[in-house]
Amino acid sequence: MRTFQYGADSAALAKPVALSIDPASAASRPGQVAFLALVEMLFRVHRNVRLDVPQVVLSTGETLRDASLRTAAAIDPFQDPVHEPADDEHTVIVSSHPVTASPSPDVTATWSGGRGEVSIRGARADKLDASQPDRNTADASQERDVLGAATSACLAAAALFTLVHDGWPTPAAINLLTLSADANTDTAVGPIDVGNILVVGGGAVGHALTYWANIFGIRGGWAVIDGDTCELHNTNRCMGMTVADAGWPEGAPTGRARPKAESAAENCSARSIPLWYRDAMRHEARADLILVLANEQGVRESIASQGEPLLLHATTSSQWTAELHRHIPDRDDCPACRIPSHSRASFACAEGPARPADPASSDAALPFLSAGAGLMLCVALLDLDKNARILRGRTNHWRLHLELPAGSPIQEAIHRGTSCPHHLKPSVRRSLYVANPRRWDDLPN
């Protein structure tokens, strides 16, 4: 597994982990979203996970317990998620409210509106002390809590990974809609409605994006382009991808690997295009919006030179960050300028040091990094046709530090675009828009 090859400690990931959810939260849609997302992330790297989940029936007719066990087995068929509890388990609890039981769980994932929160051994984020009342999620629309629940799952997976490696994550409360680390509960609900979407890249971030897009719902036509096939080492960070997708049904190399585009597209019932970008675009009509989630074969330079009025993309870095990027011609730089293809691969999908404090450590492929990046992009799309926060101001680059350090885990940056060599002249762009108009062509005005 890439997780071990890049420096994670096998003994740490073999430590027993118990993932549970209280009955009230299990009966709620946000609780189900958070719990199933944690199953997706934890079973991709941890090797001794026990599930404790009530027999709650989902809207599909399947129970939450059966859905969790089915998902776990598809990711790692060699685990036994229903084994007996161990005395030294690391405990992760999903709950719509902070847990006051003693002893406190190691990690608690909770939420309020668009705010996702992770508590560490009973300690909450500084701005969320016990005297601050939380909104009663049981009396509010469950849909408005889905964003916070999804965010809390990413934070909890990151915190657990750090704890089993004897690190010290900081309690955090984050709102990915406002891109702030505070008590803000502003939220967004689906569906995503920004026109026809072309997802270029079906790797870790592409899988995460389509996984979350299915949670929130989509309108318009979505298509995923990727000419690569699923490999076993991809399964440790691609949400929705199973070992069978990589040609290893039930853990044996007896099957045929599927195209990555097909696996990622299946997450949200999108159309798959199992070709490289340069080949696919010979037959594809211009999309309303292109999401740049690939970096091979000069794809960033190619897309940047097409004159699109808006490009969005998400990445991860080697410093445990999930990142969201905006690109508007003449206002921002382009994807190729911001992350040149000839530079050192510091933004490779879902790779980060297992021990960030150790500069000699190798990189590790971690699922919560790609999950966080995909969720950041998904939230930006949710808001694009409403308040369009991502289009405001000069800031065009946001980082979420999933190392959960002391201080704010959210950082912002500005990249100027005045010297970008890939941008087409405004007159040329206008000609392209007139010839083949799409939804966001009036954005510069």
Side-chain angles (χ1 to χ4, degrees), residues 6-364:
Y6 281 114
D9 185 78
S10 58
L13 295 182
K15 292 178 180 178
V17 172
L19 173 62
S20 64
I21 182 171
D22 65 78
S25 300
S28 73
R29 175 162 155 75
Q32 294 162 7
V33 167
F35 190 83
L36 290 172
L38 273 165
V39 171
E40 277 278 349
M41 287 183 271
L42 299 192
F43 279 87
R44 295 187 186 278
V45 289
H46 297 273
R47 292 292 170 262
N48 190 4
V49 183
R50 180 176 66 84
L51 296 178
D52 183 5
V53 52
Q55 287 279 16
V56 174
V57 179
L58 303 174
S59 60
T60 59
E62 188 177 22
T63 67
L64 180 60
R65 185 177 189 273
D66 288 345
S68 303
L69 294 176
R70 174 177 52 79
T71 300
I75 295 168
D76 184 356
F78 299 106
Q79 288 203 50
D80 175 18
V82 293
H83 60 262
E84 292 297 315
D87 293 335
D88 57 346
E89 284 180 330
H90 282 74
T91 53
V92 181
I93 292 182
V94 174
S95 177
S96 59
H97 296 284
V99 176
T100 58
S102 181
S104 299
D106 294 298
V107 178
T108 303
T110 191
W111 56 86
S112 183
R115 185 187 78 210
E117 180 188 349
V118 61
S119 300
I120 308 299
R121 292 167 180 161
R124 300 182 70 186
D126 291 340
K127 297 183 180 181
L128 299 172
D129 57 38
S131 64
Q132 178 181 342
D134 284 296
R135 183 177 53 76
N136 186 350
T137 56
D139 295 334
S141 167
Q142 291 190 352
E143 286 303 314
R144 78 181 307 275
D145 285 328
V146 169
L147 171 55
T151 304
S152 74
C154 297
L155 300 179
L160 175 66
F161 189 91
T162 300
L163 285 173
V164 300
H165 283 88
D166 299 322
W168 296 94
T170 302
I174 293 170
N175 189 314
L176 293 182
L177 178 64
T178 60
L179 290 165
S180 60
D182 56 28
N184 192 300
T185 60
D186 290 355
T187 194
V189 298
I192 299 171
D193 186 5
V194 292
N196 294 330
I197 300 292
L198 188 62
V199 181
V200 182
V205 178
H207 271 78
L209 171 66
T210 54
Y211 178 91
W212 296 121
N214 184 61
I215 298 295
F216 291 99
I218 60 175
R219 288 180 181 163
W222 282 48
V224 181
I225 290 180
D226 198 308
D228 207 352
T229 55
C230 301
E231 298 184 52
L232 190 61
H233 64 76
N234 300 143
T235 62
N236 74 327
R237 59 199 182 277
C238 291
M239 296 182 78
M241 185 184 291
T242 68
V243 292
D245 292 329
W248 288 67
E250 299 182 356
T254 57
R256 182 176 180 179
R258 300 172 68 194
K260 282 184 179 178
E262 186 177 306
S263 174
E266 189 174 71
N267 275 345
C268 64
S269 300
R271 181 167 58 95
S272 66
I273 307 173
L275 299 170
W276 297 115
Y277 180 77
R278 63 173 182 270
D279 299 321
M281 293 315 294
R282 297 171 185 170
H283 315 288
E284 290 296 313
R286 183 181 171 221
D288 289 297
L289 188 62
I290 298 178
L291 308 179
V292 190
L293 306 183
N295 53 21
E296 67 281 337
Q297 303 188 27
V299 68
R300 287 179 178 141
E301 291 84 350
S302 177
I303 294 175
S305 301
Q306 290 178 190
E308 293 296 327
L310 172 67
L311 294 174
L312 299 177
H313 81 281
T315 60
T316 62
S317 81
S318 60
Q319 300 303 312
W320 274 43
T321 60
E323 314 204 359
L324 174 65
H325 303 261
R326 182 197 75 196
H327 307 276
I328 299 174
D330 303 326
R331 183 171 162 192
D332 309 322
D333 60 351
C334 75
C337 290
R338 194 169 303 179
I339 310 174
S341 57
H342 55 76
S343 66
R344 190 171 180 268
S346 59
F347 285 84
C349 284
E351 296 178 2
R355 301 180 183 86
D358 178 7
S361 175
S362 301
D363 284 345

